[in-house]
Amino acid sequence: MPIEYDSLAHRVTVANHGHVEPVLISRGRVRTLDGPPALPLGLGRLAAPHAPDGQDRPDGPDGPVARTHPFTRGDVLLLVTDGLVEARDTGGDFYPLVERLRHRFEGRPAPGPADVVDFLNTDLPRHTRTLHDDVAMLAIAPHAPG
């Protein structure tokens, strides 16, 4: 998932290639950075290997659309793999990532990236006893200039 952070414009641009939607924690709110659905990187070529103009397009004719979002001091952007959101509890329910983040962080002072990762490292094992896929997470935040 290509992500570009523009520190001068205080924004982040995301082009989602079929990954789990990034989650933004900002000003006491938790929300996903949704965009139009797109096939995983490189698979668009299988759906439409050649454009009408004869040019190869590795992501197909309807590749991911880059979306730009405000990203300022105090915000945290969370990226996770599908192994986290597909972790199941004993009843077979998936881990409710956004719901759990809202329960913990919504309406509260801004967390730091480590706070978010620490919370997930504690909360996910409460949801599932066994992971059946890899789990990776990255939480980032803009820093003050200087």
Side-chain angles (χ1 to χ4, degrees):
M1 173 181 330
I3 296 176
E4 178 183 41
Y5 169 55
D6 185 335
S7 62
L8 298 177
H10 307 286
R11 66 182 179 203
V12 65
T13 302
V14 179
N16 193 336
H17 288 269
H19 296 89
V20 177
E21 292 87 2
V23 178
L24 180 66
I25 303 171
S26 177
R27 295 172 184 75
R29 292 185 53 226
V30 176
R31 65 184 180 94
T32 58
L33 299 184
D34 298 326
L39 293 171
L41 187 61
L43 291 183
R45 178 177 220 126
L46 297 175
H50 299 287
D53 60 9
Q55 298 295 314
D56 284 342
R57 297 222 172 93
D59 295 318
D62 298 321
V65 175
R67 298 278 174 113
T68 300
H69 307 274
F71 191 52
T72 59
R73 191 168 181 201
D75 291 351
V76 174
L77 182 65
L78 175 67
L79 309 167
V80 301
T81 58
D82 60 352
L84 189 141
V85 296
E86 293 175 358
R88 295 178 185 259
D89 64 11
T90 56
D93 294 324
F94 289 126
Y95 181 71
L97 174 64
V98 175
E99 178 184 318
R100 297 299 300 143
L101 290 171
R102 284 183 176 144
H103 177 76
R104 173 64 182 90
F105 297 110
E106 204 157 74
R108 298 186 180 166
D115 299 320
V116 176
V117 171
D118 289 346
F119 168 72
L120 292 173
N121 279 333
T122 302
D123 195 56
L124 183 62
R126 290 179 183 149
H127 178 81
T128 187
R129 294 184 193 273
T130 306
L131 294 171
H132 298 285
D133 196 358
D134 63 308
V135 172
M137 60 187 99
L138 173 66
I140 59 173
H143 62 84

